mmCIF file with all atom_site columns, all heavy atoms in Angstrom:
data_model
loop_
_atom_site.group_PDB
_atom_site.id
_atom_site.type_symbol
_atom_site.label_atom_id
_atom_site.label_alt_id
_atom_site.label_comp_id
_atom_site.label_asym_id
_atom_site.label_entity_id
_atom_site.label_seq_id
_atom_site.pdbx_PDB_ins_code
_atom_site.Cartn_x
_atom_site.Cartn_y
_atom_site.Cartn_z
_atom_site.occupancy
_atom_site.B_iso_or_equiv
_atom_site.pdbx_formal_charge
_atom_site.auth_seq_id
_atom_site.auth_comp_id
_atom_site.auth_asym_id
_atom_site.auth_atom_id
_atom_site.pdbx_PDB_model_num
ATOM 1   N N   . SER P 1 30 ? 25.116 -190.868 -28.058 1.00 0.00 ? 141 SER P N   1
ATOM 2   C CA  . SER P 1 30 ? 24.901 -191.977 -27.177 1.00 0.00 ? 141 SER P CA  1
ATOM 3   C C   . SER P 1 30 ? 24.874 -191.503 -25.696 1.00 0.00 ? 141 SER P C   1
ATOM 4   O O   . SER P 1 30 ? 25.435 -190.458 -25.351 1.00 0.00 ? 141 SER P O   1
ATOM 5   C CB  . SER P 1 30 ? 26.040 -193.040 -27.339 1.00 0.00 ? 141 SER P CB  1
ATOM 6   O OG  . SER P 1 30 ? 27.299 -192.469 -26.940 1.00 0.00 ? 141 SER P OG  1
ATOM 7   N N   . GLU P 1 31 ? 24.219 -192.336 -24.890 1.00 0.00 ? 142 GLU P N   1
ATOM 8   C CA  . GLU P 1 31 ? 24.150 -191.972 -23.472 1.00 0.00 ? 142 GLU P CA  1
ATOM 9   C C   . GLU P 1 31 ? 25.478 -192.056 -22.835 1.00 0.00 ? 142 GLU P C   1
ATOM 10  O O   . GLU P 1 31 ? 25.809 -191.266 -21.874 1.00 0.00 ? 142 GLU P O   1
ATOM 11  C CB  . GLU P 1 31 ? 23.177 -193.016 -22.746 1.00 0.00 ? 142 GLU P CB  1
ATOM 12  C CG  . GLU P 1 31 ? 23.016 -192.687 -21.299 1.00 0.00 ? 142 GLU P CG  1
ATOM 13  C CD  . GLU P 1 31 ? 22.011 -193.696 -20.675 1.00 0.00 ? 142 GLU P CD  1
ATOM 14  O OE1 . GLU P 1 31 ? 21.371 -194.416 -21.397 1.00 0.00 ? 142 GLU P OE1 1
ATOM 15  O OE2 . GLU P 1 31 ? 21.943 -193.640 -19.412 1.00 0.00 ? 142 GLU P OE2 1
ATOM 16  N N   . SER P 1 32 ? 26.378 -192.938 -23.299 1.00 0.00 ? 143 SER P N   1
ATOM 17  C CA  . SER P 1 32 ? 27.771 -193.047 -22.758 1.00 0.00 ? 143 SER P CA  1
ATOM 18  C C   . SER P 1 32 ? 28.541 -191.769 -23.080 1.00 0.00 ? 143 SER P C   1
ATOM 19  O O   . SER P 1 32 ? 29.424 -191.404 -22.229 1.00 0.00 ? 143 SER P O   1
ATOM 20  C CB  . SER P 1 32 ? 28.478 -194.276 -23.297 1.00 0.00 ? 143 SER P CB  1
ATOM 21  O OG  . SER P 1 32 ? 28.608 -194.180 -24.728 1.00 0.00 ? 143 SER P OG  1
ATOM 22  N N   . ALA P 1 33 ? 28.236 -191.155 -24.152 1.00 0.00 ? 144 ALA P N   1
ATOM 23  C CA  . ALA P 1 33 ? 28.941 -189.870 -24.519 1.00 0.00 ? 144 ALA P CA  1
ATOM 24  C C   . ALA P 1 33 ? 28.650 -188.812 -23.540 1.00 0.00 ? 144 ALA P C   1
ATOM 25  O O   . ALA P 1 33 ? 29.532 -188.079 -23.029 1.00 0.00 ? 144 ALA P O   1
ATOM 26  C CB  . ALA P 1 33 ? 28.561 -189.435 -25.916 1.00 0.00 ? 144 ALA P CB  1
ATOM 27  N N   . VAL P 1 34 ? 27.374 -188.732 -23.137 1.00 0.00 ? 145 VAL P N   1
ATOM 28  C CA  . VAL P 1 34 ? 26.983 -187.719 -22.118 1.00 0.00 ? 145 VAL P CA  1
ATOM 29  C C   . VAL P 1 34 ? 27.569 -188.019 -20.772 1.00 0.00 ? 145 VAL P C   1
ATOM 30  O O   . VAL P 1 34 ? 28.079 -187.131 -20.050 1.00 0.00 ? 145 VAL P O   1
ATOM 31  C CB  . VAL P 1 34 ? 25.419 -187.657 -22.018 1.00 0.00 ? 145 VAL P CB  1
ATOM 32  C CG1 . VAL P 1 34 ? 24.977 -186.745 -20.875 1.00 0.00 ? 145 VAL P CG1 1
ATOM 33  C CG2 . VAL P 1 34 ? 24.763 -187.313 -23.291 1.00 0.00 ? 145 VAL P CG2 1
ATOM 34  N N   . SER P 1 35 ? 27.666 -189.310 -20.435 1.00 0.00 ? 146 SER P N   1
ATOM 35  C CA  . SER P 1 35 ? 28.281 -189.725 -19.194 1.00 0.00 ? 146 SER P CA  1
ATOM 36  C C   . SER P 1 35 ? 29.781 -189.355 -19.183 1.00 0.00 ? 146 SER P C   1
ATOM 37  O O   . SER P 1 35 ? 30.265 -188.887 -18.099 1.00 0.00 ? 146 SER P O   1
ATOM 38  C CB  . SER P 1 35 ? 28.103 -191.265 -19.018 1.00 0.00 ? 146 SER P CB  1
ATOM 39  O OG  . SER P 1 35 ? 28.784 -191.702 -17.816 1.00 0.00 ? 146 SER P OG  1
ATOM 40  N N   . LYS P 1 36 ? 30.449 -189.542 -20.286 1.00 0.00 ? 147 LYS P N   1
ATOM 41  C CA  . LYS P 1 36 ? 31.870 -189.225 -20.328 1.00 0.00 ? 147 LYS P CA  1
ATOM 42  C C   . LYS P 1 36 ? 32.083 -187.648 -20.215 1.00 0.00 ? 147 LYS P C   1
ATOM 43  O O   . LYS P 1 36 ? 33.060 -187.266 -19.590 1.00 0.00 ? 147 LYS P O   1
ATOM 44  C CB  . LYS P 1 36 ? 32.484 -189.657 -21.624 1.00 0.00 ? 147 LYS P CB  1
ATOM 45  C CG  . LYS P 1 36 ? 32.655 -191.186 -21.726 1.00 0.00 ? 147 LYS P CG  1
ATOM 46  C CD  . LYS P 1 36 ? 33.206 -191.657 -23.051 1.00 0.00 ? 147 LYS P CD  1
ATOM 47  C CE  . LYS P 1 36 ? 33.361 -193.141 -23.186 1.00 0.00 ? 147 LYS P CE  1
ATOM 48  N NZ  . LYS P 1 36 ? 33.925 -193.549 -24.513 1.00 0.00 ? 147 LYS P NZ  1
ATOM 49  N N   . TRP P 1 37 ? 31.146 -186.859 -20.782 1.00 0.00 ? 148 TRP P N   1
ATOM 50  C CA  . TRP P 1 37 ? 31.269 -185.437 -20.674 1.00 0.00 ? 148 TRP P CA  1
ATOM 51  C C   . TRP P 1 37 ? 31.143 -185.001 -19.187 1.00 0.00 ? 148 TRP P C   1
ATOM 52  O O   . TRP P 1 37 ? 31.901 -184.148 -18.744 1.00 0.00 ? 148 TRP P O   1
ATOM 53  C CB  . TRP P 1 37 ? 30.152 -184.757 -21.474 1.00 0.00 ? 148 TRP P CB  1
ATOM 54  C CG  . TRP P 1 37 ? 30.211 -184.993 -22.938 1.00 0.00 ? 148 TRP P CG  1
ATOM 55  C CD1 . TRP P 1 37 ? 31.209 -185.494 -23.669 1.00 0.00 ? 148 TRP P CD1 1
ATOM 56  C CD2 . TRP P 1 37 ? 29.113 -184.795 -23.888 1.00 0.00 ? 148 TRP P CD2 1
ATOM 57  N NE1 . TRP P 1 37 ? 30.919 -185.594 -24.991 1.00 0.00 ? 148 TRP P NE1 1
ATOM 58  C CE2 . TRP P 1 37 ? 29.589 -185.169 -25.162 1.00 0.00 ? 148 TRP P CE2 1
ATOM 59  C CE3 . TRP P 1 37 ? 27.765 -184.333 -23.754 1.00 0.00 ? 148 TRP P CE3 1
ATOM 60  C CZ2 . TRP P 1 37 ? 28.826 -185.085 -26.319 1.00 0.00 ? 148 TRP P CZ2 1
ATOM 61  C CZ3 . TRP P 1 37 ? 27.014 -184.287 -24.929 1.00 0.00 ? 148 TRP P CZ3 1
ATOM 62  C CH2 . TRP P 1 37 ? 27.509 -184.639 -26.185 1.00 0.00 ? 148 TRP P CH2 1
ATOM 63  N N   . GLU P 1 38 ? 30.162 -185.610 -18.475 1.00 0.00 ? 149 GLU P N   1
ATOM 64  C CA  . GLU P 1 38 ? 29.965 -185.204 -17.097 1.00 0.00 ? 149 GLU P CA  1
ATOM 65  C C   . GLU P 1 38 ? 31.089 -185.679 -16.169 1.00 0.00 ? 149 GLU P C   1
ATOM 66  O O   . GLU P 1 38 ? 31.280 -185.098 -15.110 1.00 0.00 ? 149 GLU P O   1
ATOM 67  C CB  . GLU P 1 38 ? 28.595 -185.768 -16.606 1.00 0.00 ? 149 GLU P CB  1
ATOM 68  C CG  . GLU P 1 38 ? 27.445 -185.106 -17.356 1.00 0.00 ? 149 GLU P CG  1
ATOM 69  C CD  . GLU P 1 38 ? 26.115 -185.561 -16.751 1.00 0.00 ? 149 GLU P CD  1
ATOM 70  O OE1 . GLU P 1 38 ? 26.072 -186.406 -15.858 1.00 0.00 ? 149 GLU P OE1 1
ATOM 71  O OE2 . GLU P 1 38 ? 25.053 -185.005 -17.169 1.00 0.00 ? 149 GLU P OE2 1
ATOM 72  N N   . LYS P 1 39 ? 31.808 -186.719 -16.631 1.00 0.00 ? 150 LYS P N   1
ATOM 73  C CA  . LYS P 1 39 ? 32.946 -187.183 -15.845 1.00 0.00 ? 150 LYS P CA  1
ATOM 74  C C   . LYS P 1 39 ? 34.264 -186.510 -16.315 1.00 0.00 ? 150 LYS P C   1
ATOM 75  O O   . LYS P 1 39 ? 35.321 -186.792 -15.745 1.00 0.00 ? 150 LYS P O   1
ATOM 76  C CB  . LYS P 1 39 ? 33.071 -188.713 -15.980 1.00 0.00 ? 150 LYS P CB  1
ATOM 77  C CG  . LYS P 1 39 ? 31.939 -189.486 -15.336 1.00 0.00 ? 150 LYS P CG  1
ATOM 78  C CD  . LYS P 1 39 ? 32.090 -190.959 -15.567 1.00 0.00 ? 150 LYS P CD  1
ATOM 79  C CE  . LYS P 1 39 ? 30.921 -191.739 -14.919 1.00 0.00 ? 150 LYS P CE  1
ATOM 80  N NZ  . LYS P 1 39 ? 31.050 -193.228 -15.253 1.00 0.00 ? 150 LYS P NZ  1
ATOM 81  N N   . ASP P 1 40 ? 34.141 -185.582 -17.214 1.00 0.00 ? 151 ASP P N   1
ATOM 82  C CA  . ASP P 1 40 ? 35.300 -184.862 -17.782 1.00 0.00 ? 151 ASP P CA  1
ATOM 83  C C   . ASP P 1 40 ? 36.306 -185.795 -18.496 1.00 0.00 ? 151 ASP P C   1
ATOM 84  O O   . ASP P 1 40 ? 37.511 -185.465 -18.601 1.00 0.00 ? 151 ASP P O   1
ATOM 85  C CB  . ASP P 1 40 ? 35.995 -184.037 -16.732 1.00 0.00 ? 151 ASP P CB  1
ATOM 86  C CG  . ASP P 1 40 ? 35.187 -182.842 -16.355 1.00 0.00 ? 151 ASP P CG  1
ATOM 87  O OD1 . ASP P 1 40 ? 34.768 -182.062 -17.288 1.00 0.00 ? 151 ASP P OD1 1
ATOM 88  O OD2 . ASP P 1 40 ? 35.000 -182.596 -15.138 1.00 0.00 ? 151 ASP P OD2 1
ATOM 89  N N   . VAL P 1 41 ? 35.814 -186.944 -18.959 1.00 0.00 ? 152 VAL P N   1
ATOM 90  C CA  . VAL P 1 41 ? 36.639 -187.892 -19.659 1.00 0.00 ? 152 VAL P CA  1
ATOM 91  C C   . VAL P 1 41 ? 36.766 -187.428 -21.142 1.00 0.00 ? 152 VAL P C   1
ATOM 92  O O   . VAL P 1 41 ? 37.803 -187.599 -21.771 1.00 0.00 ? 152 VAL P O   1
ATOM 93  C CB  . VAL P 1 41 ? 36.096 -189.331 -19.575 1.00 0.00 ? 152 VAL P CB  1
ATOM 94  C CG1 . VAL P 1 41 ? 36.942 -190.272 -20.466 1.00 0.00 ? 152 VAL P CG1 1
ATOM 95  C CG2 . VAL P 1 41 ? 36.070 -189.802 -18.142 1.00 0.00 ? 152 VAL P CG2 1
ATOM 96  N N   . ALA P 1 42 ? 35.711 -186.842 -21.610 1.00 0.00 ? 153 ALA P N   1
ATOM 97  C CA  . ALA P 1 42 ? 35.672 -186.337 -22.989 1.00 0.00 ? 153 ALA P CA  1
ATOM 98  C C   . ALA P 1 42 ? 34.818 -185.058 -23.020 1.00 0.00 ? 153 ALA P C   1
ATOM 99  O O   . ALA P 1 42 ? 34.185 -184.737 -22.018 1.00 0.00 ? 153 ALA P O   1
ATOM 100 C CB  . ALA P 1 42 ? 35.117 -187.374 -23.917 1.00 0.00 ? 153 ALA P CB  1
ATOM 101 N N   . HIS P 1 43 ? 34.880 -184.375 -24.127 1.00 0.00 ? 154 HIS P N   1
ATOM 102 C CA  . HIS P 1 43 ? 34.125 -183.116 -24.318 1.00 0.00 ? 154 HIS P CA  1
ATOM 103 C C   . HIS P 1 43 ? 33.320 -183.223 -25.567 1.00 0.00 ? 154 HIS P C   1
ATOM 104 O O   . HIS P 1 43 ? 33.741 -183.889 -26.537 1.00 0.00 ? 154 HIS P O   1
ATOM 105 C CB  . HIS P 1 43 ? 35.036 -181.936 -24.322 1.00 0.00 ? 154 HIS P CB  1
ATOM 106 C CG  . HIS P 1 43 ? 35.679 -181.627 -23.000 1.00 0.00 ? 154 HIS P CG  1
ATOM 107 N ND1 . HIS P 1 43 ? 36.846 -182.231 -22.628 1.00 0.00 ? 154 HIS P ND1 1
ATOM 108 C CD2 . HIS P 1 43 ? 35.240 -180.849 -21.945 1.00 0.00 ? 154 HIS P CD2 1
ATOM 109 C CE1 . HIS P 1 43 ? 37.166 -181.860 -21.380 1.00 0.00 ? 154 HIS P CE1 1
ATOM 110 N NE2 . HIS P 1 43 ? 36.221 -180.952 -20.962 1.00 0.00 ? 154 HIS P NE2 1
ATOM 111 N N   . PRO P 1 44 ? 32.104 -182.532 -25.616 1.00 0.00 ? 155 PRO P N   1
ATOM 112 C CA  . PRO P 1 44 ? 31.333 -182.613 -26.884 1.00 0.00 ? 155 PRO P CA  1
ATOM 113 C C   . PRO P 1 44 ? 31.951 -181.867 -28.034 1.00 0.00 ? 155 PRO P C   1
ATOM 114 O O   . PRO P 1 44 ? 32.759 -180.983 -27.854 1.00 0.00 ? 155 PRO P O   1
ATOM 115 C CB  . PRO P 1 44 ? 30.010 -181.939 -26.423 1.00 0.00 ? 155 PRO P CB  1
ATOM 116 C CG  . PRO P 1 44 ? 30.447 -180.972 -25.274 1.00 0.00 ? 155 PRO P CG  1
ATOM 117 C CD  . PRO P 1 44 ? 31.523 -181.736 -24.575 1.00 0.00 ? 155 PRO P CD  1
ATOM 118 N N   . ASP P 1 45 ? 31.584 -182.323 -29.209 1.00 0.00 ? 156 ASP P N   1
ATOM 119 C CA  . ASP P 1 45 ? 32.056 -181.675 -30.355 1.00 0.00 ? 156 ASP P CA  1
ATOM 120 C C   . ASP P 1 45 ? 31.554 -180.223 -30.418 1.00 0.00 ? 156 ASP P C   1
ATOM 121 O O   . ASP P 1 45 ? 30.501 -179.894 -29.965 1.00 0.00 ? 156 ASP P O   1
ATOM 122 C CB  . ASP P 1 45 ? 31.551 -182.438 -31.638 1.00 0.00 ? 156 ASP P CB  1
ATOM 123 C CG  . ASP P 1 45 ? 32.244 -181.894 -32.847 1.00 0.00 ? 156 ASP P CG  1
ATOM 124 O OD1 . ASP P 1 45 ? 33.272 -182.460 -33.284 1.00 0.00 ? 156 ASP P OD1 1
ATOM 125 O OD2 . ASP P 1 45 ? 31.632 -181.014 -33.513 1.00 0.00 ? 156 ASP P OD2 1
ATOM 126 N N   . ILE P 1 46 ? 32.413 -179.337 -30.983 1.00 0.00 ? 157 ILE P N   1
ATOM 127 C CA  . ILE P 1 46 ? 32.066 -177.939 -30.972 1.00 0.00 ? 157 ILE P CA  1
ATOM 128 C C   . ILE P 1 46 ? 30.772 -177.666 -31.709 1.00 0.00 ? 157 ILE P C   1
ATOM 129 O O   . ILE P 1 46 ? 30.070 -176.683 -31.417 1.00 0.00 ? 157 ILE P O   1
ATOM 130 C CB  . ILE P 1 46 ? 33.226 -177.110 -31.578 1.00 0.00 ? 157 ILE P CB  1
ATOM 131 C CG1 . ILE P 1 46 ? 33.030 -175.615 -31.258 1.00 0.00 ? 157 ILE P CG1 1
ATOM 132 C CG2 . ILE P 1 46 ? 33.345 -177.367 -33.092 1.00 0.00 ? 157 ILE P CG2 1
ATOM 133 C CD1 . ILE P 1 46 ? 34.276 -174.798 -31.599 1.00 0.00 ? 157 ILE P CD1 1
ATOM 134 N N   . THR P 1 47 ? 30.396 -178.483 -32.664 1.00 0.00 ? 158 THR P N   1
ATOM 135 C CA  . THR P 1 47 ? 29.197 -178.280 -33.442 1.00 0.00 ? 158 THR P CA  1
ATOM 136 C C   . THR P 1 47 ? 27.932 -178.537 -32.605 1.00 0.00 ? 158 THR P C   1
ATOM 137 O O   . THR P 1 47 ? 26.846 -178.140 -32.962 1.00 0.00 ? 158 THR P O   1
ATOM 138 C CB  . THR P 1 47 ? 29.163 -179.215 -34.649 1.00 0.00 ? 158 THR P CB  1
ATOM 139 O OG1 . THR P 1 47 ? 29.296 -180.559 -34.215 1.00 0.00 ? 158 THR P OG1 1
ATOM 140 C CG2 . THR P 1 47 ? 30.301 -178.909 -35.643 1.00 0.00 ? 158 THR P CG2 1
ATOM 141 N N   . LEU P 1 48 ? 28.128 -179.269 -31.462 1.00 0.00 ? 159 LEU P N   1
ATOM 142 C CA  . LEU P 1 48 ? 26.949 -179.567 -30.578 1.00 0.00 ? 159 LEU P CA  1
ATOM 143 C C   . LEU P 1 48 ? 26.713 -178.457 -29.560 1.00 0.00 ? 159 LEU P C   1
ATOM 144 O O   . LEU P 1 48 ? 25.688 -178.423 -28.914 1.00 0.00 ? 159 LEU P O   1
ATOM 145 C CB  . LEU P 1 48 ? 27.250 -180.870 -29.858 1.00 0.00 ? 159 LEU P CB  1
ATOM 146 C CG  . LEU P 1 48 ? 27.307 -182.128 -30.647 1.00 0.00 ? 159 LEU P CG  1
ATOM 147 C CD1 . LEU P 1 48 ? 27.696 -183.324 -29.783 1.00 0.00 ? 159 LEU P CD1 1
ATOM 148 C CD2 . LEU P 1 48 ? 25.949 -182.433 -31.355 1.00 0.00 ? 159 LEU P CD2 1
ATOM 149 N N   . LEU P 1 49 ? 27.645 -177.506 -29.443 1.00 0.00 ? 160 LEU P N   1
ATOM 150 C CA  . LEU P 1 49 ? 27.549 -176.426 -28.376 1.00 0.00 ? 160 LEU P CA  1
ATOM 151 C C   . LEU P 1 49 ? 26.276 -175.606 -28.544 1.00 0.00 ? 160 LEU P C   1
ATOM 152 O O   . LEU P 1 49 ? 25.599 -175.297 -27.546 1.00 0.00 ? 160 LEU P O   1
ATOM 153 C CB  . LEU P 1 49 ? 28.802 -175.584 -28.444 1.00 0.00 ? 160 LEU P CB  1
ATOM 154 C CG  . LEU P 1 49 ? 30.082 -176.260 -27.894 1.00 0.00 ? 160 LEU P CG  1
ATOM 155 C CD1 . LEU P 1 49 ? 31.219 -175.297 -27.866 1.00 0.00 ? 160 LEU P CD1 1
ATOM 156 C CD2 . LEU P 1 49 ? 29.879 -176.894 -26.515 1.00 0.00 ? 160 LEU P CD2 1
ATOM 157 N N   . PRO P 1 50 ? 25.916 -175.086 -29.786 1.00 0.00 ? 161 PRO P N   1
ATOM 158 C CA  . PRO P 1 50 ? 24.737 -174.295 -29.889 1.00 0.00 ? 161 PRO P CA  1
ATOM 159 C C   . PRO P 1 50 ? 23.496 -175.019 -29.404 1.00 0.00 ? 161 PRO P C   1
ATOM 160 O O   . PRO P 1 50 ? 22.617 -174.472 -28.702 1.00 0.00 ? 161 PRO P O   1
ATOM 161 C CB  . PRO P 1 50 ? 24.689 -173.988 -31.353 1.00 0.00 ? 161 PRO P CB  1
ATOM 162 C CG  . PRO P 1 50 ? 26.063 -174.102 -31.861 1.00 0.00 ? 161 PRO P CG  1
ATOM 163 C CD  . PRO P 1 50 ? 26.694 -175.197 -31.032 1.00 0.00 ? 161 PRO P CD  1
#
Side-chain angles (χ1 to χ4, degrees):
S141 64
E142 184 179 348
S143 62
V145 175
S146 177
K147 289 178 181 180
W148 296 344
E149 293 186 355
K150 293 177 181 178
D151 287 310
V152 175
H154 291 87
D156 188 89
I157 194 170
T158 57
L159 294 175
L160 292 183

